[in-house]
Amino acid sequence: MTLYGRERPEAMKKLRGKVLVLGHDTRPLIAIFRSLGRQGIEVHVAGCKATSPALRSRYLAAVHYLPRFELAHNDWLKELSALMDREAYDLVIPATEFTVLSCQRHADELARHGRVYLLAPKLYELVNDKAAIYEIVRREGISAPGTVVVRKGSDAVETACFKFPVFVKPSCSVTAEKRGLKDYAVRIENAGELADYVERLFELHDHVLIQDTVTGQGAGMELLAHEGNILLAFQHRRLHESTGFGSSYRESVSPDPELFEASKRLIKALNYTGVAMLE
């Protein structure tokens, strides 16, 4: 596997410190535990279900239980703040979309208790809006599926001619109103299904995206960037997609030059700082 980026200095190959990871999704939790634990970092987790297989990781040093993450009630925020004060973490990492959303909403409060990995507020609002990202992709001339953005109250679904099947997704997958439940991209086979699903999405979303179906193999470009410049990148390829909501089995591959170039253009247009994954 080829990595685009600099070699790590020798002093960075074994780290020390203590990190708290927030969330309940087994797949990202295990990946984060392994990555940090192998570097010698003490890893704690909070907000994870007691039945999660991730809690059996040999890299996990401690488990903390918090009230359910909800934006309407801040019990979780009070207890998380107290935990951060007590444990003096070097970094807190929200690892699922709803823990990210919750922490972004309370970034100023959490910053008084320690360091939390979050995006700048305006950047988060932008990258959390698929319609806004699509407009940037279109403006930059980056190849993407044909897309129609339908806004609530529009008659575009009735008047547009779609070639089925299409994929429909809300502009924002996770909202506070659904308490962390995610609206995935859904394959739609006909006009009746399309009208019904779009109407349901409009109960919580102001606009949705309707996209052409593109066949092929899924891939993702994982990046570390600073002020729009990519410092490190590698790529994964999907090998098994059993759930319909992403892949459960992947392999790391050398970055495809065309995909890497498209990623560079988007990251530059966003002036992005942080970690990212582009599919």
Side-chain angles (χ1 to χ4, degrees):
M1 178 180 68
T2 301
L3 293 175
Y4 285 2
R6 304 171 184 172
E7 277 292 312
R8 289 181 299 168
E10 193 65 32
M12 291 294 290
K13 292 189 177 182
K14 202 68 174 177
L15 304 176
R16 290 292 181 268
K18 183 164 61 173
V19 170
L20 175 67
V21 184
L22 303 175
H24 61 269
D25 190 329
T26 297
R27 292 171 298 174
L29 288 184
I30 288 178
I32 294 171
F33 296 168
R34 288 173 177 168
S35 178
L36 297 177
R38 287 169 178 170
Q39 299 302 315
I41 296 173
E42 181 180 334
V43 182
H44 294 202
V45 68
C48 187
K49 296 177 181 177
T51 56
S52 173
L55 299 187
R56 300 176 67 87
S57 171
R58 64 191 177 98
Y59 297 105
L60 188 59
V63 179
H64 306 277
Y65 294 97
L66 298 175
R68 182 186 175 98
F69 280 75
E70 295 189 35
L71 297 186
H73 305 285
N74 291 342
D75 290 346
W76 68 268
L77 179 61
K78 296 174 184 176
E79 294 204 24
L80 174 58
S81 299
L83 177 62
M84 292 170 65
D85 290 340
R86 185 169 66 250
E87 295 288 344
Y89 294 108
D90 295 285
L91 185 65
V92 176
I93 304 175
T96 58
E97 287 178 270
F98 194 60
T99 56
V100 171
L101 172 62
S102 302
C103 291
Q104 288 280 170
R105 294 284 182 92
H106 296 280
D108 292 340
E109 167 66 20
L110 291 172
R112 293 196 283 269
H113 303 277
R115 297 175 61 194
V116 184
Y117 176 75
L118 296 170
L119 297 179
K122 289 184 178 179
L123 178 59
Y124 174 74
E125 293 299 326
L126 179 59
V127 300
N128 203 39
D129 185 341
K130 295 182 177 67
I133 290 295
Y134 175 73
E135 286 303 313
I136 295 174
V137 165
R138 185 183 58 81
R139 186 185 70 210
E140 295 295 319
I142 299 171
S143 178
T147 301
V148 175
V149 178
V150 180
R151 302 193 180 276
K152 196 171 185 177
S154 166
D155 62 353
V157 174
E158 291 79 13
T159 59
C161 295
F162 297 102
K163 183 179 179 181
F164 292 96
V166 295
F167 279 86
V168 181
K169 62 185 74 171
S171 191
C172 179
S173 300
V174 175
T175 64
E177 291 78 9
K178 292 199 72 171
R179 301 171 69 180
L181 296 177
K182 186 173 181 178
D183 284 315
Y184 291 92
V186 172
R187 178 179 166 123
I188 300 295
E189 301 291 342
N190 56 62
E193 288 183 14
L194 177 62
D196 290 343
Y197 188 58
V198 169
E199 183 178 359
R200 184 171 75 79
L201 289 178
F202 278 153
E203 293 175 5
L204 289 176
H205 303 279
D206 291 329
H207 46 293
V208 302
L209 283 70
I210 303 173
Q211 296 188 307
D212 292 339
T213 298
V214 178
T215 59
Q217 189 168 38
M221 187 76 70
E222 282 80 5
L223 309 166
L224 173 65
H226 179 66
E227 295 181 351
N229 296 305
I230 294 176
L231 306 179
L232 183 72
F234 75 94
Q235 184 178 323
H236 76 259
R237 179 166 57 214
R238 293 181 175 185
L239 298 179
H240 186 58
E241 304 189 31
S242 60
T243 64
F245 306 129
S247 56
S248 57
Y249 185 48
R250 316 162 192 83
E251 67 173 344
S252 298
V253 297
S254 298
D256 176 90
E258 184 177 359
L259 295 181
F260 182 69
E261 180 60 31
S263 300
K264 282 204 304 183
R265 291 161 66 185
L266 180 56
I267 292 297
K268 178 65 74 175
L270 292 169
N271 193 33
Y272 193 92
T273 293
V275 295
M277 193 274 284
L278 293 84
E279 290 184 310

